Amino acid sequence: MASTGVFSDILYGDVFKYYADGEWKKSSSGQSVAIINPTTRKPQYKVQACTKEEVNKAMERAKFAQKSWARTPLWKRGELLHKAAAILKEHKSPIGECLVKEIAKPAKDAFTEVVRSGDLVSYCAEEGVRILGDGKLLVSDSFPGNDRSKYCLTSKIPLGVVLAIPPYNYPVNLAVSKIAPALIAGNSLVLKPPTQGAVSCLHMVHCFHLAGFPKGLISCITGKGSQIGDFLTTHPDVDCISFTGGDTGIAIAKKAGMIPLQMELGGKDACIILEDADLNLVAENIIKGGFSYSGQRCTAVKVIFAMESIADALVEKVNARVAKLTVGPPEKNCDITPVVSEASANFIEGLIMDAKDKGAKFCQEHKREGNLIWPLLLDHVTPDMRIAREEPFGPVVPVIRIKSIEEGIHHCNSSKYGLQGCVFTKDINKAMLISDAMETGTVQINSAPARGPDHFPFQGFKDSGIGSQGITNSINMMTKTKSTVINLPSPSYSMG
Ligand code: G3H
């Protein structure tokens, strides 16, 4: 059932329209893509299956609209973003309800995602006005052999058309974390939402439409990645790609041309626990970090390295908390909700069965109903088990017992991923040394990994990504430096 009211103009029959050239449109393909509700496992919504020709048109319009947008005063661009942020927050209920149905996000987290997104857009507007209003003046006589006859003025200018591809787990928040920096910096934006999460994205884009952005500046193209994905990511009119998701990002990076890329890919975020750690704090963070949104976060705690001497006590504390997690539908705000698809549930189950065959200790009974997988802590996991290396994106957390800190660091750095990691200890000196040794984009000391607050730099090393995100970094990344050099006459020139 599609939502109505203020969003009714984005529907054609029971299929959501796509957005291009300032209008809501029906695709000429006559085809749609079904979105399956992860909880009911039945079709929930339908979106347009856009054609390559429609992609071409959106790109053409984006290219055209960007030219005058880049000349729109910065404060005006900021003003429109503030307006969109306010409209987005006003619509947190209908958008949140979509998130619940499309991606089975617990209702409270779904509403939080929309509010966080509004805050992100506003912050972006303010930060953009500050940092893009700032240029540089260089004088030539600081470089050997030069006199003071050249003045170089540098400023940040937009890249052109930014292609944004967010993932299913934060379709709204990780879309606006690309859209808002792109727009404040004077770029136009083509959004390709994930299939699960597409309707939430369309609703979010509708808020930008209501705010009154110029025609063609923002487009939202829906359809199957297998049909239009490569066409979009290799399109000659794209000047920058900002992608969040899985290994597909690596394939995109290999095919993209000479354009800036911002990629946030997978993670195997390690949690190293020292002997002096506050085990209650650790257990709370493992629950929050490992099981929130059923582990479907790139920053989820995905492997625990616990010193042997405290491992039994820690596992007991975590188990006591796992027992209190509620399991069920997102509408009831359960802690553990169905994972996004049957394929995903099957993959997670494969990892669990592999660990079972290789001798892991199950701290809870393994239970699955449809896409719903009960939370599971796996103890005595060894490095040869798939769960020790692979990313489950589900409510399963492995514990590997370590004899030394070096062993924990070694395991962490053996991963092909390097997104975030965390270390728990009361000794700040050790924490800092461990942070230095961990090959991850961020190390959290005494807390679970997390991307936010959204203005913090956020980056992955190795197969976890390219470039750095966070509001300030994203704005800078979506601009290029332009210099104008004023050449003065030679010093012998007479001013009369
Ligand atoms: O899934 C990837 C997200 O960037 C994680 O964001 O740490 O706010 O849950 P989060």
Side-chain angles (χ1 to χ4, degrees), residues 116 169-170 174 244 264 296-299 393 449-452 458:
R116 174 181 177 182
N169 63 346
Y170 282 97
L174 281 168
T244 307
E264 179 203 343
Q296 298 173 107
R297 296 165 54 240
C298 57
T299 49
F393 241 68
R451 174 168 46 114
F458 178 50

